Amino acid sequence: MKPREHHYVYVIELSRDVLYEPKFRKANPDYQPDRPCVYVGMTGLDPDLRFDRHKAGIQANRFVHDYGLQLLPALYEEHNPMPYEDARYMEVDLAIRLREAGYGVWQA
């Protein structure tokens, strides 16, 4: 039986003000200023709903709650939906690839 494909990876653009956060800067020593700062996550919810929950403070990542601007579907839509284990792997893989491309990335 094929696992249910109802998990998603998502990418949220963060305000560049997140660069004032020492933890964020330390996690991104090779950040290129022409690239966005982003949060990469995974969820069993629709990414739009998950973004709204972050902003409302419900199971929110602090950086998304304080600095989240918008979803960036062009960076993740092609991967969704997927089974849970695939989403767990893809969240980390996508964060690594974006960081290697010079993005400022937070992935919890």
Side-chain angles (χ1 to χ4, degrees):
M1 177 189 286
K2 185 176 179 181
R4 286 188 52 216
E5 294 186 354
H6 70 279
H7 284 85
Y8 304 86
V9 293
Y10 60 96
V11 179
I12 296 172
E13 181 179 8
L14 303 175
S15 162
R16 291 190 192 278
D17 289 347
V18 75
L19 293 167
Y20 293 110
E21 297 278 353
K23 283 174 64 173
F24 190 90
R25 280 197 322 273
K26 185 177 179 182
N28 293 284
D30 298 322
Y31 170 67
Q32 297 175 14
D34 63 323
R35 298 296 179 133
C37 295
V38 298
Y39 172 85
V40 178
M42 64 141 313
T43 184
L45 303 172
D46 178 271
D48 288 315
L49 176 58
R50 184 66 188 107
F51 176 69
D52 291 344
R53 291 172 64 101
H54 276 294
K55 294 303 287 179
I58 302 167
Q59 296 176 322
N61 175 272
R62 184 175 69 83
F63 292 151
V64 176
H65 181 262
D66 294 349
Y67 302 106
L69 299 175
Q70 64 183 345
L71 289 164
L72 297 175
L75 297 177
Y76 64 83
E77 272 187 333
E78 68 182 325
H79 305 294
N80 292 325
M82 65 187 86
Y84 175 79
E85 288 300 326
D86 291 352
R88 283 186 56 201
Y89 172 82
M90 183 58 67
E91 175 189 15
V92 174
D93 184 66
L94 184 55
I96 289 169
R97 286 189 283 127
L98 291 173
R99 189 172 279 125
E100 287 175 348
Y103 287 69
V105 179
W106 192 260
Q107 181 262 324

